[in-house]
Amino acid sequence: MAANLFPRDLKPDSSTDFLIIGAGFSGLVIAERLSAAGWKCVVVDRRSHLGGNARDGIDAAGVLTHHYGPHYFRSNSPRIVDYLSAFTEWHAVSYTIKSHACGRYWSFPINLNTFEEYLGRPATTEEFTAWLEQKRIPIADPQNSEEVIISQVGRELYELFFEGYTLKQWKRHPRELDASVCGRIPVRTNRDDRYLSESFQALPKRGYTALFETMLNASPGVELHLGVDFEQARARWSHKHLVFTGAIDEFYGRRFGALPYRSLRFEHESFSAEQLRAREPISGKPGFWQPAMQVNYPEPEVPFTRIVEIKHATGQRIDATTIVREFPKDWTPDDEPFYPVPAPEARAAFLRYSELAATEPHTSFIGRLATYRYYNMDQVTAMAIAEAEKLISKYGSNL
Ligand code: FAD
Ligand code: UDP
C-alpha cells in the first residue's frame, strides 16, 4: 500500500486523468476500475485514513473493531461478490442480533422464537401466523415506517421494538420516515433469526482495511492522498474528470440550505479475559460481554440505540473483547454526516442539488453522500462499477 501513498506536502504530479474525492467504498472501487482501464487516478480523502465509514482496525486491546459502527457485508449480487473476491477472502457469518427491552433479551428480528418469548410458552408457525393476522392493521401499500411495521405485526410489537428505537435514531416519528427504513428489517414466522436476508453474508477475512489495501496495491495507476480536502485537491490537480463521493450539498456550498443528516457518537470499551469471566452468566459464552454481536436497545430511557461486540462476527481468537455503544446525535457541520434522512421532504431538498449535478459535464456524483441514499456497501460498489463503465465508454480505454 505504501507504494501508492504520497506525503501530504509532496507534489508528485499536478495533473491526473480522474480526480476522485473520497477514499471510501465508492471512491476506491471506481479508482480501481478506471486504473484497470489504464487511466491515472488521484484519490483524496480529508480523513487521515482510507476506507471511509467501512474503516476497521486493531484497537489498543488487540481486538479487530469497526471504527464507524458495525459493517455487515451482505449481497444478493454474485457479480459484486465476485468483483470484491479478487481483493479478499471471506469469513462466512450468519449475523444474529438481539433486542433488549422490559429487562430482558429478545430474539430479533421478530420470528417464531420472539413470539414464544412474548407468550412465555411454546408456539407454532400456524399459531403465530393466526395471531399476526388478528393483530396486523391491513394497509395495502404502506407509505411510511410506522405503516410498514403495523401492517405486518400490529401495534404491540411495533411499540416494543420499533417506535422508541426509531425515535432515538432519527429524532423523528416512524410515520415521518420512508417505509424502506423500518421495512428493511425482516419479519418471519419460522425460526430463522438472521438479522439479514441476503443470500451472501460474510466479512472480509482480514477486514475491510486489508481489502482496500489489496485493491490499491493491484491498481498501479492510483495515487492516494490522505488529509487532503476537495478544495485543496481541486487547486492542486488539473483533471479530465472529477468524481465526487462527499456530501452533494457541501459540493454546492449549501446554496439551497444544508440537507438533513443524522450523526453518531461511538463509545468504545474493552474488557480483559478476567473482567469477562464475571459476565459469563449474561453473555452465556466465555470471552464475550454480551450474548450476540449486536444488542438493540429500543427503550427511550436508554440513551444509546445499540451495543456492538464485533468479535462475535469476525471470529477473531483473542481473550479480550471490545464493545461499542452507539449514541445518535444531531448533525452539525463539524460532525460526520453518517446517515442521509430517508424522508419525503429531505428527498425534495436533495432534488434541487441533483438537478444541478445533472448539468455538470465533467463531474460524477456517486456513493451514499453524493446521491443522498441510505445505501449499503454492496450497493455503492455496484454504483461505482456502473459509473466506471459509463466513463470508460465516454472516454475510452487508455490501455
Ligand atoms: P463513505 O464511506 O462515507 O466515504 C466517503 C469519503 O469521502 C469519506 O471518507 C469522507 O471523509 C470523504 N469526503 C467527504 N467529503 C470530502 C471532501 N470535501 N474532501 C475530501 N474528502 C471528503 N453498509 C452495509 O452494507 N452493511 C452494514 O452493516 C452497514 N452498517 C453501517 C453502519 C453505520 C453506522 C453507517 C454510518 C453506515 C453503514 N453502512 C453499512 C453503509 C456503508 O457505510 C456505506 O454504504 C459505504 O461505506 C458508503 O461508501 P461511500 O464511499 O459512498 O461513503
Ligand atoms: N429499527 C428499529 N428497531 C430495531 C432495529 C431497527 O426500529 O431494533 C429501525 C430503525 O429505524 C433503524 C432501521 O430500522 O434505523 C434500520 O435498521 P438497521 O439495523 O438496518 O440500521 P443501520 O444498521 O442501517 O443503522
Side-chain angles (χ1 to χ4, degrees):
M1 178 201 159
N4 293 328
L5 256 178
F6 289 82
R8 208 189 297 194
D9 52 349
L10 207 146
K11 279 198 178 179
D13 195 350
S14 59
S15 83
T16 180
D17 297 317
F18 290 89
L19 177 60
I20 299 170
I21 311 303
F25 253 100
S26 39
L28 293 176
V29 168
I30 199 167
E32 187 284 327
R33 289 290 73 208
L34 292 168
S35 151
W39 293 110
K40 180 178 172 194
C41 300
V42 166
V43 181
V44 306
D45 202 299
R46 57 155 70 116
R47 297 186 193 178
S48 60
H49 62 72
L50 55 61
N53 289 339
R55 172 82 178 172
D56 57 11
I58 303 288
D59 69 9
V63 182
L64 175 61
T65 50
H66 293 183
H67 288 199
Y68 302 101
H71 277 69
Y72 309 128
F73 188 84
R74 76 285 206 136
S75 184
N76 282 323
S77 164
R79 185 172 175 235
I80 297 307
V81 174
D82 281 353
Y83 168 73
L84 291 173
S85 300
F87 312 108
T88 187
E89 291 178 69
W90 298 97
H91 169 69
V93 196
S94 188
Y95 303 114
T96 49
I97 72 170
K98 297 217 172 282
S99 185
H100 188 276
C102 305
R104 56 165 297 178
Y105 292 107
W106 299 83
S107 187
F108 191 82
I110 296 169
N111 66 82
L112 181 56
N113 299 330
T114 324
F115 183 55
E116 290 183 337
E117 290 159 3
Y118 191 70
L119 296 179
R121 62 166 174 81
T124 61
T125 290
E126 291 68 35
E127 186 184 1
F128 187 25
T129 309
W131 187 89
L132 287 175
E133 218 27 69
Q134 214 190 4
K135 296 285 177 185
R136 62 186 286 271
I137 296 162
I139 301 170
D141 185 15
Q143 292 299 307
N144 57 54
S145 274
E146 179 184 52
E147 289 185 0
V148 80
I149 300 300
I150 61 173
S151 67
Q152 295 179 83
V153 302
R155 286 221 162 261
E156 288 161 55
L157 295 183
Y158 158 78
E159 283 169 11
L160 183 59
F161 294 121
F162 289 91
E163 194 173 51
Y165 186 106
T166 299
L167 277 164
K168 277 196 284 193
Q169 168 72 10
W170 299 99
K171 212 183 185 180
R172 41 173 92 197
H173 194 275
R175 82 175 73 90
E176 298 169 313
L177 288 164
D178 289 353
S180 57
V181 177
C182 289
R184 74 197 231 130
I185 306 295
V187 173
R188 306 191 187 98
T189 52
N190 58 18
R191 294 194 193 278
D192 181 357
D193 65 348
R194 289 171 312 149
Y195 178 34
L196 309 168
S197 298
E198 283 83 353
S199 53
F200 181 84
Q201 304 188 17
L203 290 172
K205 206 167 206 162
R206 294 189 302 116
Y208 293 98
T209 299
L211 180 161
F212 292 130
E213 288 173 355
T214 306
M215 189 180 269
L216 269 183
N217 279 335
S219 312
V222 180
E223 273 176 31
L224 174 66
H225 296 259
L226 298 171
V228 176
D229 76 17
F230 171 43
E231 293 305 335
Q232 293 167 310
R234 181 152 63 171
R236 184 159 150 192
W237 286 280
S238 62
H239 49 275
K240 168 197 302 286
H241 194 98
L242 178 75
V243 178
F244 190 77
T245 78
I248 191 166
D249 53 336
E250 186 186 333
F251 181 90
Y252 286 112
R254 307 216 159 90
R255 67 178 72 166
F256 304 131
L259 292 174
Y261 297 96
R262 284 297 278 164
S263 197
L264 294 168
R265 178 170 67 80
F266 301 101
E267 209 175 82
H268 294 239
E269 196 175 357
S270 296
F271 299 90
S272 65
E274 198 185 345
Q275 290 170 311
L276 288 175
R277 266 192 282 282
R279 288 287 298 186
E280 274 183 39
I282 295 167
S283 71
K285 210 171 159 189
F288 289 89
W289 190 84
Q290 64 182 18
M293 74 174 183
Q294 178 176 315
V295 177
N296 292 351
Y297 288 81
E299 292 175 329
E301 308 76 58
V302 181
F304 45 84
T305 48
R306 56 189 179 187
I307 301 181
V308 172
E309 186 177 16
I310 203 71
K311 191 174 92 163
H312 281 279
T314 58
Q316 187 187 11
R317 288 174 189 278
I318 180 168
D319 292 339
T321 198
T322 297
I323 62 165
V324 183
R325 293 184 179 85
E326 249 171 68
F327 296 80
K329 188 171 180 299
D330 290 343
W331 175 81
T332 72
D334 293 331
D335 297 306
E336 287 297 339
F338 286 117
Y339 290 94
V341 177
E345 89 292 348
R347 212 171 15 262
F350 162 70
L351 267 182
R352 299 188 70 189
Y353 287 111
S354 71
E355 278 164 11
L356 276 186
T359 66
E360 306 277 356
H362 302 296
T363 304
S364 304
F365 295 86
I366 58 165
R368 214 186 211 204
L369 294 172
T371 63
Y372 199 70
R373 295 225 175 84
Y374 186 22
Y375 271 161
N376 291 325
M377 294 175 283
D378 61 327
Q379 295 169 307
V380 298
T381 300
M383 184 190 275
I385 292 172
E387 187 64 20
E389 285 167 355
K390 226 168 89 186
L391 293 174
I392 292 164
S393 75
K394 177 175 175 176
Y395 295 106
S397 157
N398 197 35
L399 289 171

